[in-house]
Amino acid sequence: MNNWFYNPEVKFHMWGAPHLFTIIILITLFCSIYLCRRLLLPYRRRIRLTVGWGLIISRISLDIWYIQTGMWDINSSLPLELCSIASLACAIMLLTKNHYIFEAFYFIAIGGAIQAIATPDLYFGFPQYRYMQFFIDHFLLILSPLIMIWLYQFTITLRSLLRAFITINCIAVIVFIVNIVASANYMFLIQKPSGSSLLDFLGPYPYYLLSLEGITLFIFFLLYLPFTFKNKRII
């Protein structure tokens, strides 16, 4: 099989040159899109639909990769990780302009994807398919709610934060039940990931789950802050 598609010998190294360079590229893209947001307004529908379908195609391509490489496993390949759930939810949000999904997944998508990009639970290194798919998918995931803010003037309220916190906990309960039934570890609700991650600083199981609740609220509040300033200017 082609080396770019599947080569376990090319491993991912967190904070290595390819990882840092990828982060710089993503930050540059976000800044460029923000600065050009007014120029993009005439094309907003095309952009919204392209990113929405891009998230769906990204997920389908990942499942094909799992099958083609013989890595598909019910314990690890279902779209039940938080960012996978957020990707599908954001795709629906973009295709339908659903404001409820936007309110909840503005926090979940951006908060989860930033953590995933900074400390990826990733085995395959650059320039393999899995590496490219991972970072493109998370780039589109962060971009999804930003499109609705920058190009459609969607906004966030304190009630949105509450909805997001309730939503993420409801998702966690459902995924936890699936983990028990399937002997899986989606969303790391049963144990920490094997590689390095932010969870290493939050104590042993199950106490890190309680720590995550507080950190989630803190991150959600940070993501809400720009809208408090915006609302004050409007008043």
Side-chain angles (χ1 to χ4, degrees):
M1 193 171 293
N2 292 333
N3 287 341
W4 70 269
F5 192 72
Y6 178 77
N7 185 4
E9 295 181 3
V10 180
K11 298 179 181 180
F12 174 76
H13 298 285
M14 191 180 302
W15 302 115
H19 184 202
L20 292 175
F21 187 63
T22 300
I23 291 175
I24 292 171
I25 291 176
L26 296 183
I27 292 173
T28 302
L29 287 173
F30 285 125
C31 292
S32 300
I33 294 170
Y34 175 76
L35 293 174
C36 297
R37 64 192 185 283
R38 297 187 186 279
L39 298 175
L40 296 174
L41 283 174
Y43 313 101
R44 64 179 188 173
R45 182 177 184 274
R46 188 177 302 174
I47 294 170
R48 172 173 59 83
L49 296 178
T50 299
V51 174
W53 283 110
L55 286 168
I56 293 174
I57 293 170
S58 174
R59 179 65 218 184
I60 293 174
S61 72
L62 179 59
D63 286 324
I64 293 173
W65 180 81
Y66 279 138
I67 295 170
Q68 289 292 319
T69 58
M71 295 182 64
W72 197 95
D73 189 323
I74 193 172
N75 294 327
S76 59
S77 305
L78 295 176
L80 292 178
E81 299 293 354
L82 185 60
C83 285
S84 298
I85 295 170
S87 291
L88 296 176
C90 283
I92 296 172
M93 181 266 294
L94 288 170
L95 297 177
T96 63
K97 295 195 291 186
N98 187 296
H99 200 280
Y100 182 87
I101 297 177
F102 162 78
E103 285 188 302
F105 283 89
Y106 161 78
F107 296 96
I108 296 171
I110 295 179
I114 288 176
Q115 190 274 334
I117 289 172
T119 59
D121 183 33
L122 187 63
Y123 182 84
F124 296 90
F126 180 85
Q128 294 187 75
Y129 159 82
R130 181 62 178 119
Y131 181 97
M132 304 299 288
Q133 185 274 336
F134 179 91
F135 285 101
I136 291 174
D137 189 81
H138 286 82
F139 165 72
L140 296 179
L141 181 54
I142 295 175
L143 184 61
S144 296
L146 296 181
I147 285 174
M148 305 311 294
I149 296 169
W150 294 341
L151 303 183
Y152 284 87
Q153 290 73 54
F154 277 28
T155 191
I156 291 294
T157 66
L158 194 58
R159 182 177 296 179
S160 306
L161 191 157
L162 179 61
R163 286 178 178 174
F165 190 68
I166 293 173
T167 299
I168 196 172
N169 277 280
C170 289
I171 291 172
V173 169
I174 295 171
V175 173
F176 182 81
I177 294 172
V178 173
N179 284 338
I180 297 300
V181 173
S183 298
N185 188 34
Y186 292 108
M187 289 178 60
F188 308 120
L189 295 176
I190 303 300
Q191 62 183 21
K192 296 179 184 179
S194 55
S196 301
S197 76
L198 296 179
L199 299 183
D200 294 335
F201 301 97
L202 304 183
Y205 181 87
Y207 302 109
Y208 73 83
L209 297 177
L210 297 176
S211 301
L212 277 176
E213 289 284 281
I215 291 176
T216 298
L217 270 177
F218 177 71
I219 292 174
F220 283 8
F221 181 74
L222 290 180
L223 291 171
Y224 172 66
L225 282 180
F227 293 92
T228 64
F229 300 140
K230 179 180 178 182
N231 293 337
K232 286 180 180 179
R233 287 199 303 268
I234 293 175
I235 295 173

